[in-house]
């Protein structure tokens, strides 16, 4: 099978890319190049997912570069309290969700689109606002919190 070709067209000041099949028909469209203009909005969406669970979670860090929440367990060392976080990077905004690492079967019902955003075992990267994926991620976060609560001390 021949590798897919890429066709680029200009639409005003945007460049749109289509990955084409060997037959020449388009199979997937890529929007304009990623810019950091959406990053604050993405950060706010992802921060909102986590802040909805404070309390019982505790805010450990909150700033322009990121947001971190921990479980409220002062009896265990700081690194082990980490529950989730948002980090603004160069090319995308990352959402780290440790319950996915601890309970990998949480992802069994996840959409293929969300799984494509996953890097590593517990990180999801976003370069554009996607309300549908953010709602799915909010559901995963809520399920993760319930699983953490069910773990015996």
């Amino acid at each position: 099978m021949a590798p897919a070709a890429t066709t680029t067209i200009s639409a005003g000041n945007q460049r749109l890319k289509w990955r084409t099949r060997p037959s020449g028909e388009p199979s997937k469209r890529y929007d304009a190049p990623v810019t950091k203009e959406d990053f604050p909005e993405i950060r706010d969406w992802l921060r909102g997912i986590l802040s909805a669970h404070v309390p019982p979670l505790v805010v450990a860090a909150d700033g322009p570069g990121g947001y971190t929440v921990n479980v409220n367990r002062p009896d265990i060392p700081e690194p082990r309290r980490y529950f989730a976080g948002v980090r603004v990077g160069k090319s995308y905004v990352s959402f780290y969700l440790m319950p996915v690492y601890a309970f990998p079967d949480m992802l069994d019902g996840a959409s293929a689109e969300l799984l494509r955003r996953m890097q590593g075992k517990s990180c999801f990267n976003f370069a554009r606002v996607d309300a549908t994926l953010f709602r799915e991620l909010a559901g995963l976060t809520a399920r993760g919190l319930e699983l953490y609560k069910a773990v015996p001390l």
Side-chain angles (χ1 to χ4, degrees):
M1 179 181 223
T6 302
T7 304
T8 304
I9 63 168
S10 293
N13 62 353
Q14 295 182 349
R15 296 179 64 127
L16 303 176
K17 291 186 180 183
W18 278 267
R19 192 175 286 167
T20 55
R21 295 184 181 121
S23 64
E25 63 189 58
S27 62
K28 186 164 184 175
R29 179 180 164 231
Y30 292 87
D31 291 329
V34 174
T35 64
K36 290 188 174 188
E37 294 172 5
D38 288 342
F39 287 11
E41 185 179 358
I42 296 168
R43 181 198 63 225
D44 291 344
W45 271 86
L46 298 175
R47 183 185 182 281
I49 291 171
L50 296 178
S51 64
H53 300 286
V54 175
L57 297 176
V58 178
V59 177
D62 187 5
Y67 184 75
T68 302
V69 291
N70 291 345
V71 293
N72 191 8
R73 291 283 311 274
D75 57 317
I76 59 176
E78 179 71 29
R80 291 184 51 212
R81 292 186 222 165
Y82 185 85
F83 179 81
V86 176
R87 186 184 69 80
V88 179
K90 262 185 173 179
S91 303
Y92 41 78
V93 180
S94 299
F95 186 89
Y96 297 90
L97 185 61
M98 292 314 294
V100 170
Y101 182 82
F103 308 102
D105 57 328
M106 282 179 56
L107 294 173
D108 287 349
S111 71
E113 183 61 32
L114 184 63
L115 294 176
R116 274 194 290 272
R117 306 291 181 123
M118 195 167 183
Q119 181 176 342
K121 294 182 179 180
S122 64
C123 177
F124 300 88
N125 295 323
F126 297 92
R128 292 182 179 80
V129 173
D130 190 328
T132 304
L133 292 181
F134 294 162
R135 281 191 291 275
E136 185 176 356
L137 203 51
L140 268 179
T141 304
R143 278 202 314 274
L145 184 58
E146 291 306 313
L147 287 170
Y148 264 37
K149 287 179 182 178
V151 173
L153 300 177

